[in-house]
Amino acid sequence: MNLLLFAIAPVFIIILYIYFKDKYEKEPKRFLFYNFILGAIVSIVITTVLYYVFDIVLPILSNTSIFQQFIKAFFVVGLIEEFSKYIIVRYFAQTNKEFNEPFDGIVYAVMVSMGFAATENIFYVLEGGYQTALLRAFTAVPAHATFGILMGFYMGKAKFSKNRIGLNLFGLLAAIVFHGAYDFFLFIDFVPGIWVGAFISLFIGIVLSRKAIKRHQENSNFNT
């Protein structure tokens, strides 16, 4: 039970952080919960199915090929996982009447991302124990949050723009790029010291996420 709490604690800390950053018009808790659950269940199911398909179409044969690990990081893991989240934000959250200001893109994308991260983290932590829980609390879980914030920033803009398709897809692309970069440096750990690149990528993602949050706070429809 304690191990399970360790697995989900960082997820809910991030959720609370984003919830309180939504200064001017809080989202309904029930709808937030629905997005979280969809991220925790549906996006995991979509990811699992797409992984199976990609493994047939594009098998990764070598763990020591930098090129193959690049493909795996960006075009398999990054693309599949972020697309599975994007689908829920795009067709469940963004179309709802509660999505009524740009900051909501960040809120709902993070909720979906944290649902995904919670399920993923539980599996990793139950297998790896407290050391894994501690490590992922400061790496993988915040990373998923930054991917969600960057995606949500553009999807929030898209809802109120004539260029909805372009901005939505750019949000998806931003999440894929940062997710892919983070994983790529971890996948090629056979190169001495290269793992530092993952932390640099995460740091840049956090800096951009803070700017994205501030920008949408300032531009809120309810900031009067």
Short mmCIF file of all heavy atoms in Angstrom, two decimals, residues 104-140:
data_model
loop_
_atom_site.label_atom_id
_atom_site.label_comp_id
_atom_site.label_asym_id
_atom_site.label_seq_id
_atom_site.Cartn_x
_atom_site.Cartn_y
_atom_site.Cartn_z
N ASP A 104 -7.20 26.34 -20.22
CA ASP A 104 -7.84 25.03 -20.08
C ASP A 104 -7.12 23.96 -20.90
O ASP A 104 -7.17 22.77 -20.56
CB ASP A 104 -9.31 25.10 -20.49
CG ASP A 104 -10.13 25.95 -19.53
OD1 ASP A 104 -9.61 26.27 -18.44
OD2 ASP A 104 -11.28 26.30 -19.87
N GLY A 105 -6.46 24.38 -21.97
CA GLY A 105 -5.69 23.42 -22.75
C GLY A 105 -4.60 22.79 -21.90
O GLY A 105 -4.37 21.57 -21.94
N ILE A 106 -3.93 23.62 -21.10
CA ILE A 106 -2.89 23.11 -20.20
C ILE A 106 -3.50 22.22 -19.13
O ILE A 106 -3.00 21.13 -18.84
CB ILE A 106 -2.13 24.29 -19.55
CG1 ILE A 106 -1.29 25.01 -20.61
CG2 ILE A 106 -1.25 23.81 -18.40
CD1 ILE A 106 -0.57 26.25 -20.10
N VAL A 107 -4.60 22.68 -18.53
CA VAL A 107 -5.23 21.92 -17.45
C VAL A 107 -5.62 20.52 -17.90
O VAL A 107 -5.26 19.51 -17.27
CB VAL A 107 -6.48 22.66 -16.91
CG1 VAL A 107 -7.22 21.78 -15.90
CG2 VAL A 107 -6.08 23.98 -16.27
N TYR A 108 -6.34 20.43 -19.01
CA TYR A 108 -6.84 19.12 -19.44
C TYR A 108 -5.74 18.24 -20.02
O TYR A 108 -5.76 17.01 -19.82
CB TYR A 108 -8.00 19.31 -20.42
CG TYR A 108 -9.22 19.88 -19.75
CD1 TYR A 108 -9.74 21.12 -20.12
CD2 TYR A 108 -9.85 19.19 -18.72
CE1 TYR A 108 -10.85 21.65 -19.48
CE2 TYR A 108 -10.96 19.72 -18.07
CZ TYR A 108 -11.46 20.94 -18.45
OH TYR A 108 -12.54 21.47 -17.80
N ALA A 109 -4.80 18.83 -20.71
CA ALA A 109 -3.68 18.03 -21.23
C ALA A 109 -2.86 17.44 -20.08
O ALA A 109 -2.41 16.29 -20.15
CB ALA A 109 -2.80 18.87 -22.14
N VAL A 110 -2.69 18.22 -19.02
CA VAL A 110 -1.96 17.71 -17.85
C VAL A 110 -2.76 16.63 -17.15
O VAL A 110 -2.21 15.62 -16.70
CB VAL A 110 -1.60 18.86 -16.88
CG1 VAL A 110 -1.10 18.31 -15.55
CG2 VAL A 110 -0.55 19.77 -17.50
N MET A 111 -4.08 16.81 -17.05
CA MET A 111 -4.90 15.78 -16.39
C MET A 111 -4.80 14.46 -17.14
O MET A 111 -4.64 13.40 -16.51
CB MET A 111 -6.36 16.24 -16.35
CG MET A 111 -6.62 17.38 -15.39
SD MET A 111 -6.14 17.05 -13.68
CE MET A 111 -7.22 15.69 -13.26
N VAL A 112 -4.89 14.51 -18.45
CA VAL A 112 -4.76 13.29 -19.25
C VAL A 112 -3.36 12.70 -19.10
O VAL A 112 -3.20 11.49 -18.91
CB VAL A 112 -5.09 13.57 -20.73
CG1 VAL A 112 -4.78 12.34 -21.59
CG2 VAL A 112 -6.56 13.97 -20.89
N SER A 113 -2.36 13.56 -19.17
CA SER A 113 -0.97 13.11 -19.05
C SER A 113 -0.70 12.50 -17.68
O SER A 113 0.02 11.50 -17.57
CB SER A 113 -0.01 14.28 -19.28
OG SER A 113 -0.09 14.74 -20.60
N MET A 114 -1.26 13.08 -16.64
CA MET A 114 -1.05 12.54 -15.29
C MET A 114 -1.81 11.24 -15.08
O MET A 114 -1.38 10.39 -14.30
CB MET A 114 -1.44 13.58 -14.24
CG MET A 114 -0.47 14.77 -14.16
SD MET A 114 1.24 14.30 -13.70
CE MET A 114 2.00 14.12 -15.32
N GLY A 115 -2.94 11.09 -15.77
CA GLY A 115 -3.61 9.79 -15.73
C GLY A 115 -2.74 8.71 -16.33
O GLY A 115 -2.55 7.63 -15.77
N PHE A 116 -2.16 9.04 -17.49
CA PHE A 116 -1.24 8.12 -18.15
C PHE A 116 -0.04 7.84 -17.25
O PHE A 116 0.36 6.69 -17.06
CB PHE A 116 -0.77 8.73 -19.47
CG PHE A 116 0.14 7.84 -20.27
CD1 PHE A 116 -0.37 7.06 -21.29
CD2 PHE A 116 1.50 7.79 -20.01
CE1 PHE A 116 0.47 6.23 -22.04
CE2 PHE A 116 2.34 6.97 -20.74
CZ PHE A 116 1.82 6.18 -21.76
N ALA A 117 0.55 8.90 -16.69
CA ALA A 117 1.75 8.76 -15.86
C ALA A 117 1.46 7.94 -14.61
O ALA A 117 2.32 7.18 -14.15
CB ALA A 117 2.28 10.14 -15.47
N ALA A 118 0.25 8.09 -14.05
CA ALA A 118 -0.10 7.34 -12.84
C ALA A 118 -0.10 5.84 -13.11
O ALA A 118 0.49 5.07 -12.36
CB ALA A 118 -1.47 7.78 -12.33
N THR A 119 -0.77 5.43 -14.19
CA THR A 119 -0.81 4.01 -14.53
C THR A 119 0.59 3.49 -14.82
O THR A 119 0.99 2.43 -14.33
CB THR A 119 -1.72 3.78 -15.75
OG1 THR A 119 -3.04 4.26 -15.45
CG2 THR A 119 -1.80 2.30 -16.10
N GLU A 120 1.34 4.22 -15.63
CA GLU A 120 2.69 3.81 -15.98
C GLU A 120 3.57 3.72 -14.74
O GLU A 120 4.33 2.76 -14.56
CB GLU A 120 3.29 4.82 -16.97
CG GLU A 120 4.69 4.46 -17.45
CD GLU A 120 5.27 5.53 -18.36
OE1 GLU A 120 5.54 6.65 -17.86
OE2 GLU A 120 5.44 5.26 -19.56
N ASN A 121 3.45 4.72 -13.86
CA ASN A 121 4.30 4.76 -12.68
C ASN A 121 4.00 3.62 -11.72
O ASN A 121 4.90 3.06 -11.09
CB ASN A 121 4.12 6.10 -11.96
CG ASN A 121 5.42 6.60 -11.36
OD1 ASN A 121 6.48 6.44 -11.95
ND2 ASN A 121 5.36 7.21 -10.19
N ILE A 122 2.73 3.27 -11.59
CA ILE A 122 2.35 2.17 -10.70
C ILE A 122 3.04 0.88 -11.14
O ILE A 122 3.60 0.15 -10.32
CB ILE A 122 0.83 2.00 -10.67
CG1 ILE A 122 0.19 3.15 -9.87
CG2 ILE A 122 0.44 0.65 -10.05
CD1 ILE A 122 -1.31 3.22 -9.98
N PHE A 123 3.02 0.59 -12.43
CA PHE A 123 3.67 -0.63 -12.94
C PHE A 123 5.17 -0.61 -12.66
O PHE A 123 5.75 -1.60 -12.19
CB PHE A 123 3.41 -0.79 -14.44
CG PHE A 123 2.04 -1.28 -14.76
CD1 PHE A 123 1.15 -0.49 -15.49
CD2 PHE A 123 1.62 -2.53 -14.35
CE1 PHE A 123 -0.13 -0.95 -15.79
CE2 PHE A 123 0.35 -3.00 -14.64
CZ PHE A 123 -0.53 -2.20 -15.36
N TYR A 124 5.82 0.52 -12.96
CA TYR A 124 7.27 0.61 -12.76
C TYR A 124 7.65 0.51 -11.28
O TYR A 124 8.61 -0.17 -10.91
CB TYR A 124 7.81 1.92 -13.33
CG TYR A 124 8.11 1.88 -14.80
CD1 TYR A 124 7.29 2.52 -15.72
CD2 TYR A 124 9.23 1.21 -15.28
CE1 TYR A 124 7.56 2.49 -17.08
CE2 TYR A 124 9.52 1.18 -16.64
CZ TYR A 124 8.67 1.81 -17.54
OH TYR A 124 8.96 1.77 -18.88
N VAL A 125 6.89 1.20 -10.43
CA VAL A 125 7.23 1.25 -9.01
C VAL A 125 6.96 -0.08 -8.32
O VAL A 125 7.75 -0.52 -7.47
CB VAL A 125 6.46 2.41 -8.33
CG1 VAL A 125 6.59 2.32 -6.80
CG2 VAL A 125 6.98 3.75 -8.82
N LEU A 126 5.86 -0.74 -8.66
CA LEU A 126 5.58 -2.03 -8.05
C LEU A 126 6.65 -3.06 -8.42
O LEU A 126 6.93 -3.98 -7.65
CB LEU A 126 4.20 -2.54 -8.48
CG LEU A 126 3.00 -1.76 -7.92
CD1 LEU A 126 1.69 -2.36 -8.41
CD2 LEU A 126 3.03 -1.74 -6.38
N GLU A 127 7.24 -2.87 -9.58
CA GLU A 127 8.32 -3.77 -10.01
C GLU A 127 9.67 -3.37 -9.44
O GLU A 127 10.47 -4.22 -9.02
CB GLU A 127 8.40 -3.81 -11.54
CG GLU A 127 9.48 -4.74 -12.07
CD GLU A 127 9.55 -4.77 -13.59
OE1 GLU A 127 8.62 -4.24 -14.23
OE2 GLU A 127 10.54 -5.29 -14.13
N GLY A 128 9.93 -2.05 -9.38
CA GLY A 128 11.27 -1.58 -9.01
C GLY A 128 11.45 -1.13 -7.58
O GLY A 128 12.57 -0.96 -7.12
N GLY A 129 10.34 -0.90 -6.86
CA GLY A 129 10.42 -0.54 -5.45
C GLY A 129 10.60 0.94 -5.19
O GLY A 129 10.42 1.79 -6.07
N TYR A 130 11.00 1.26 -3.94
CA TYR A 130 11.05 2.65 -3.49
C TYR A 130 12.10 3.47 -4.23
O TYR A 130 11.91 4.66 -4.46
CB TYR A 130 11.33 2.69 -1.98
CG TYR A 130 10.17 2.20 -1.15
CD1 TYR A 130 10.20 0.94 -0.56
CD2 TYR A 130 9.04 2.99 -0.96
CE1 TYR A 130 9.12 0.49 0.20
CE2 TYR A 130 7.96 2.56 -0.21
CZ TYR A 130 8.01 1.30 0.37
OH TYR A 130 6.93 0.85 1.09
N GLN A 131 13.21 2.85 -4.59
CA GLN A 131 14.25 3.59 -5.31
C GLN A 131 13.73 4.06 -6.66
O GLN A 131 13.97 5.21 -7.07
CB GLN A 131 15.48 2.70 -5.49
CG GLN A 131 16.66 3.44 -6.11
CD GLN A 131 17.91 2.58 -6.18
OE1 GLN A 131 17.93 1.46 -5.68
NE2 GLN A 131 18.96 3.12 -6.78
N THR A 132 12.98 3.19 -7.34
CA THR A 132 12.37 3.56 -8.62
C THR A 132 11.34 4.67 -8.43
O THR A 132 11.26 5.60 -9.22
CB THR A 132 11.71 2.33 -9.27
OG1 THR A 132 12.71 1.35 -9.53
CG2 THR A 132 11.02 2.70 -10.57
N ALA A 133 10.56 4.55 -7.35
CA ALA A 133 9.54 5.57 -7.05
C ALA A 133 10.18 6.93 -6.85
O ALA A 133 9.69 7.94 -7.38
CB ALA A 133 8.75 5.16 -5.81
N LEU A 134 11.27 6.97 -6.11
CA LEU A 134 11.94 8.24 -5.84
C LEU A 134 12.54 8.83 -7.10
O LEU A 134 12.41 10.03 -7.38
CB LEU A 134 13.04 8.03 -4.78
CG LEU A 134 13.78 9.29 -4.32
CD1 LEU A 134 12.82 10.27 -3.65
CD2 LEU A 134 14.90 8.91 -3.36
N LEU A 135 13.19 7.99 -7.89
CA LEU A 135 13.81 8.46 -9.13
C LEU A 135 12.77 9.01 -10.09
O LEU A 135 12.93 10.11 -10.64
CB LEU A 135 14.60 7.33 -9.78
CG LEU A 135 15.26 7.65 -11.13
CD1 LEU A 135 16.30 8.74 -10.96
CD2 LEU A 135 15.88 6.40 -11.73
N ARG A 136 11.69 8.27 -10.29
CA ARG A 136 10.67 8.68 -11.26
C ARG A 136 9.87 9.89 -10.77
O ARG A 136 9.32 10.63 -11.58
CB ARG A 136 9.74 7.51 -11.57
CG ARG A 136 10.41 6.41 -12.39
CD ARG A 136 9.43 5.26 -12.68
NE ARG A 136 8.28 5.70 -13.45
CZ ARG A 136 8.26 5.83 -14.77
NH1 ARG A 136 9.34 5.55 -15.49
NH2 ARG A 136 7.16 6.24 -15.38
N ALA A 137 9.81 10.10 -9.47
CA ALA A 137 9.10 11.26 -8.93
C ALA A 137 9.75 12.56 -9.36
O ALA A 137 9.09 13.60 -9.45
CB ALA A 137 9.06 11.19 -7.40
N PHE A 138 11.05 12.50 -9.65
CA PHE A 138 11.78 13.71 -10.05
C PHE A 138 12.20 13.70 -11.52
O PHE A 138 12.87 14.62 -11.97
CB PHE A 138 13.02 13.89 -9.16
CG PHE A 138 12.69 14.20 -7.74
CD1 PHE A 138 12.67 13.18 -6.78
CD2 PHE A 138 12.36 15.49 -7.35
CE1 PHE A 138 12.36 13.47 -5.46
CE2 PHE A 138 12.04 15.78 -6.03
CZ PHE A 138 12.03 14.77 -5.08
N THR A 139 11.81 12.65 -12.24
CA THR A 139 12.20 12.56 -13.66
C THR A 139 10.99 12.29 -14.56
O THR A 139 10.45 13.20 -15.18
CB THR A 139 13.27 11.47 -13.85
OG1 THR A 139 12.80 10.22 -13.33
CG2 THR A 139 14.57 11.86 -13.16
N ALA A 140 10.57 11.03 -14.63
CA ALA A 140 9.55 10.63 -15.59
C ALA A 140 8.20 11.32 -15.38
O ALA A 140 7.56 11.76 -16.34
CB ALA A 140 9.37 9.11 -15.55
#
